[in-house]
Amino acid sequence: MILAEVTYITIGKGVSAANYVKSALEYFKRSGVRYYPNSMSTVLETETVEEAFRIIAGAENELIKSGVPRVETIIKIDHRVDLENSVSRKLEAIGEKIQE
Amino acid sequence: MILAEVTYITIGKGVSAANYVKSALEYFKRSGVRYYPNSMSTVLETETVEEAFRIIAGAENELIKSGVPRVETIIKIDHRVDLENSVSRKLEAIGEKIQE
Amino acid sequence: MILAEVTYITIGKGVSAANYVKSALEYFKRSGVRYYPNSMSTVLETETVEEAFRIIAGAENELIKSGVPRVETIIKIDHRVDLENSVSRKLEAIGEKIQE
Amino acid sequence: MILAEVTYITIGKGVSAANYVKSALEYFKRSGVRYYPNSMSTVLETETVEEAFRIIAGAENELIKSGVPRVETIIKIDHRVDLENSVSRKLEAIGEKIQE
């Protein structure tokens, strides 16, 4: 399993990005991917890195199509093959729980 | 208010970083900072960027002192002065809630 | 044009990553993409974000196939449509030149 | 030695960030730090992580004072104690040279 953390920073459309973040979250929802938003980014769980990038690119292109002239996308991929990686396993390993 | 997202990637001490992440979380707890861990990073809320960096540097130096030969620290700062920024305000703006 | 900055952090294979970075640079070279390495990352120039992700995923999967148990990949995408973005244009805009 | 890669993303002041990046580079120059700009970020070489953060915070606060309502700062720290880390050593290790 791949964990992919993504932050979209929209530039040229005012100071607030909340509406654009909401549209990216709606894109993730429609795609069927498991996604975990927090105050600075959203973590996606996918089977492959290609799947993570396909979904990240899709939401980014929707932001551009909606009229945003520039998007800086910051991504962190945790690609681990020595064990079955997941959001819940990583949280348990540090004594935390998944946000319901 | 400053939001500072930090991820410590420990290198040279095996594949798992969970114990090192736990020690960084304990450092944050002792420092009294408000901190919000998730599966890929921890978000700190501080009054100034200097305070965020002081705490991030402190936990990083503890990892090095504990014997880690190399640490890559990835940080995202959201520094906003047009309104009172906070984890809860950003989550509400995208229709989410804080993890209790 | 898309600018994509990528850093591969290999975990579980010792402290130095130089050989793995070199193999990623060789992958970029074989792919024909324009790439600009520096001491902390490599900047790729591609026509689309999908092309950037295809190349980044390809080099990452080669690192995993070569026996690295865990890779953290950090990516920054500069996706701009209001003008023709490029490494040289951005460097000129800040008074710098491309490294030959 | 610490290598600190920093990118300032200015929000709420138009699409181009070139002038703000130039003012950050001037701040780095005045501070006397060794700095290596590229098309997506600038790499600083400092003796300690505290020094790197002091300089990064200083340039960020100058951007805010110059009227930018929101800055997202993206930082990667390479903190290594098993050998004397430097921009030139890392570039040589991957077969590259420093930009003069």
Side-chain angles (χ1 to χ4, degrees), chain C residues 7 39 76 90 97 99, chain D residues 7 39 76 90 97 99:
Chain C
T7 299
S39 60
K76 269 187 235 153
K90 279 185 86 174
K97 293 187 309 314
Q99 167 146 345
Chain D
T7 299
S39 60
K76 268 186 234 151
K90 280 185 85 174
K97 292 186 311 312
Q99 166 145 345

Side-chain angles (χ1 to χ4, degrees), chain C residues 3-7 9 15-19 21-22 25 35-41 43 74-78 80 82 86-88 90-100, chain D residues 3-7 9 15-19 21-22 25 35-41 43 74-78 80 82 86-88 90-100:
Chain C
L3 272 63
E5 176 199 84
V6 58
T7 299
I9 301 171
V15 184
S16 170
N19 289 335
V21 171
K22 273 198 271 190
L25 294 178
Y35 67 102
Y36 303 83
N38 64 69
S39 60
M40 291 290 281
S41 59
V43 179
I74 319 293
I75 300 163
K76 269 187 235 153
I77 301 283
D78 185 3
R80 188 171 186 177
D82 64 323
S86 71
V87 165
S88 57
K90 279 185 86 174
L91 287 173
E92 267 158 50
I94 59 167
E96 297 288 331
K97 293 187 309 314
I98 274 191
Q99 167 146 345
E100 294 317 325
Chain D
L3 273 61
E5 176 198 85
V6 57
T7 299
I9 301 172
V15 184
S16 171
N19 289 336
V21 171
K22 272 197 273 189
L25 293 179
Y35 66 101
Y36 304 84
N38 63 69
S39 60
M40 291 290 281
S41 59
V43 180
I74 319 293
I75 300 163
K76 268 186 234 151
I77 301 284
D78 185 2
R80 188 172 185 175
D82 64 322
S86 71
V87 166
S88 56
K90 280 185 85 174
L91 288 174
E92 268 157 49
I94 59 166
E96 297 289 330
K97 292 186 311 312
I98 274 190
Q99 166 145 345
E100 291 320 321

Side-chain angles (χ1 to χ4, degrees), chain A residues 1 6 8 10 14 27-28 39-40 42 55 58 61 66 74 78 82-83 86 88 94:
Chain A
M1 188 103 74
V6 57
Y8 296 109
T10 51
Y27 185 93
F28 296 152
S39 60
M40 292 290 281
T42 298
I55 293 165
N61 286 326
S66 75
I74 319 293
D78 185 3
D82 64 324
L83 52 68
S86 71
S88 56
I94 60 167

Side-chain angles (χ1 to χ4, degrees), chain C residues 3-47:
Chain C
L3 272 63
E5 176 199 84
V6 58
T7 299
Y8 296 109
I9 301 171
T10 51
I11 301 167
K13 281 282 183 181
V15 184
S16 170
N19 289 335
Y20 296 110
V21 171
K22 273 198 271 190
S23 94
L25 294 178
E26 278 147 28
Y27 185 93
F28 297 152
K29 193 168 190 177
R30 289 197 309 272
S31 78
V33 71
R34 282 185 303 281
Y35 67 102
Y36 303 83
N38 64 69
S39 60
M40 291 290 281
S41 59
T42 298
V43 179
L44 310 182
E45 263 185 359
T46 62
E47 290 309 315

